[in-house]
Amino acid sequence: MSHPVYKLAIIGFGTVGEGVYQTLLKKSEKIAAILGRPITIPFVLVKDQLRMRNVSSITKITHSFSDILDESNLDVVVEATPDASTAYPYVTKLLEKSISVISANKELIAKHGEELHKLAKENDCQLLYEAAVAGGIPLLNTLRHTLKTNSIQKLEGILNGTSNFILTKMREEASSFEVALAEAQENGYAEAIPDKDVDGWDAYYKTCILSQWIFGCSPVWNSEKPVGIREVDAIDISLAENLKARIKHVASLQKVENCVRASIQPTLVFEGHPLYSVEDVNNGIYIEGSIVGPVTLQGPGAGKYPTSSAVVEDVVNFLSERNEPSLPKGIQFLKDGFEDSDSSFQEKPNLFFLTAPNGLSNHLTTMGFDVIKSVVQLGKKYGALVTSGSTKLERIKTLCNELEIQVYPVLLGKNDSVEKYYFKEKAI
Ligand code: HSE
């Protein structure tokens, strides 16, 4: 006999957990109309039970996981904890008990997704995590449902809302990195430990999941770790503007022969590229589908309600039993850590935007750069468009760091050539 209500528990009551709770309450009538019965929330699991929480009288705030595990007829659990090590024991125990889990935890999925999917399958339940990648943008469901016949050769994405917010504030309002980060934290965009955002790890986990979903394998990385936005100098942002370009934190995935190459780093994006206008806390994902052609998805990539939207839609999809198996066939999950270099990768000379102290301008060619154009000078720095093979660049990276040279890869618009952006050399 079916039950008169659906029962859902929430683990974690930070920005996301609380947002999901409030959204389920606020949208309760609509959800009941879609599902044919309401959702109740008997338990919310928290670390600090003494803190006041704004929940209704039918919800018990508990710090005992066994309350959730022992609850009879629990239909689904929302997992909204901040990292993999907190979430992993909860999620494994729930799946072992055949209780489906909706997660917003990209680190958990990137590190343990393969094992957890296997566990869900063995126990005839589901693991869904639309909210884990690109916040409120319906990306994974789009890939699963409406782009599965297309082959995708490459992806370029802004995947961390906090970093994009900071870079936008630094450019538009001349905010310092620290002030912009504090504002991102106040707005509920940043992770509990914001280093994960600004050092690139948050985008790294999301890129891992996307590689697995799109290409069915973990990528080969172009560096030992992701490059975040800490080292992006305010002057570099201004130099880029003089080129009619913006510095964005970009994740790239590209199929090259039989492997997938990945990178995450601050990148110079010209105005013809779809990611140029992705501003503020938004995320943007540019993909080229073999049938549909170029597609850009854009929307809020972080924040209480955009993330809650993705979680709640997963909940409703799951309970309305309209989901297909939670993972497309043939997907492999992450092997821990970064791999580097792949002999089968054919190196092509790439275009870079380089900013350096003025005195170094005559030495670029001896360092191995092919200078296309010196762009602009601003105070003690100048910017130049250069080409250099990426392997060569990897070799001189330490030297670049020592000489305070920043190197940004460049994204052009689809039909653009770099000549379109040539400037007459000028000093400001
Ligand atoms: N801290 C993350 C971001 C939250 O800024 O993108 C959404 O995953």
Side-chain angles (χ1 to χ4, degrees), residues 402-422:
E402 281 165 14
L403 296 175
E404 293 179 28
I405 294 176
Q406 294 286 334
V407 181
Y408 303 92
V410 170
L411 293 182
L412 294 170
K414 193 168 167 55
N415 300 316
D416 287 350
S417 70
V418 72
E419 286 80 10
K420 179 175 163 189
Y421 298 102
Y422 278 6

Side-chain angles (χ1 to χ4, degrees), residues 95-388:
L95 297 177
E96 277 162 7
K97 237 195 129 186
S98 300
I99 299 171
S100 293
V101 176
I102 314 293
S103 176
N105 193 325
K106 49 256 158 177
E107 186 180 345
L108 174 78
I109 305 302
K111 287 184 174 168
H112 305 290
E114 182 170 8
E115 176 198 341
L116 295 175
H117 272 290
K118 201 162 154 256
L119 204 54
K121 197 168 174 214
E122 280 165 11
N123 292 286
D124 199 19
C125 57
Q126 295 219 20
L127 172 67
L128 300 172
Y129 42 86
E130 177 64 68
V133 184
I137 303 174
L139 178 59
L140 296 184
N141 274 304
T142 301
L143 292 171
R144 178 195 295 153
H145 291 292
T146 38
L147 283 174
K148 59 183 163 220
T149 314
N150 279 262
S151 306
I152 294 168
Q153 289 303 312
K154 74 168 184 178
L155 172 148
E156 282 150 0
I158 293 173
L159 297 177
N160 184 258
T162 301
S163 297
N164 204 38
F165 178 84
I166 293 171
L167 291 175
T168 305
K169 288 275 161 190
M170 286 173 74
R171 196 191 74 252
E172 282 185 345
E173 297 171 21
S175 298
S176 70
F177 173 87
E178 290 75 18
V179 167
L181 173 57
E183 202 178 328
Q185 288 176 287
E186 273 164 34
N187 290 345
Y189 302 153
E191 298 298 303
I193 302 170
D195 297 9
K196 287 187 188 170
D197 295 295
V198 298
D199 291 330
W201 289 101
D202 177 82
Y204 164 74
Y205 296 131
K206 292 166 178 169
T207 307
C208 290
I209 297 170
L210 285 172
S211 179
Q212 291 138 10
W213 273 65
I214 294 173
F215 302 107
C217 62
S218 297
V220 175
W221 292 90
N222 77 335
S223 61
E224 284 165 22
K225 56 185 174 65
V227 185
I229 61 161
R230 267 186 214 279
E231 307 304 326
V232 177
D233 190 342
I235 294 183
D236 294 3
I237 292 174
S238 303
L239 287 168
E241 267 204 293
N242 282 290
L243 256 184
K244 290 210 174 93
R246 289 176 181 159
I247 293 175
K248 298 280 181 193
H249 190 239
V250 175
S252 306
L253 284 170
Q254 182 156 19
K255 188 92 190 277
V256 181
E257 293 170 4
N258 55 358
C259 84
V260 178
R261 305 287 306 181
S263 67
I264 296 176
Q265 58 203 318
T267 298
L268 185 87
V269 181
F270 277 103
E271 67 177 343
H273 192 282
L275 297 184
Y276 175 86
S277 53
V278 177
E279 291 276 75
D280 208 71
V281 71
N282 288 314
N283 282 187
I285 296 92
Y286 171 77
I287 44 184
E288 286 173 12
S290 57
I291 309 170
V292 67
V295 172
T296 307
L297 299 172
Q298 179 178 344
K304 190 173 191 175
Y305 293 110
T307 312
S308 303
S309 163
V311 172
V312 169
E313 295 292 358
D314 262 353
V315 168
V316 173
N317 275 323
F318 165 70
L319 292 176
S320 60
E321 293 174 348
R322 271 182 286 169
N323 259 312
E324 294 179 9
S326 58
L327 193 66
K329 242 180 150 180
I331 283 187
Q332 295 164 16
F333 265 81
L334 175 70
K335 306 287 168 259
D336 255 355
F338 280 76
E339 299 168 56
D340 200 8
S341 74
D342 181 319
S343 54
S344 70
F345 178 60
Q346 301 288 314
E347 192 195 353
K348 279 198 285 207
N350 286 317
L351 184 61
F352 297 95
F353 176 58
L354 174 153
T355 65
N358 284 334
L360 286 174
S361 58
N362 295 330
H363 303 292
L364 294 180
T365 39
T366 48
M367 287 175 75
F369 291 112
D370 189 5
V371 181
I372 296 180
K373 191 73 190 164
S374 293
V375 177
V376 70
Q377 280 185 6
L378 193 59
K380 293 182 184 148
K381 279 182 107 173
Y382 74 98
L385 288 169
V386 301
T387 56
S388 167

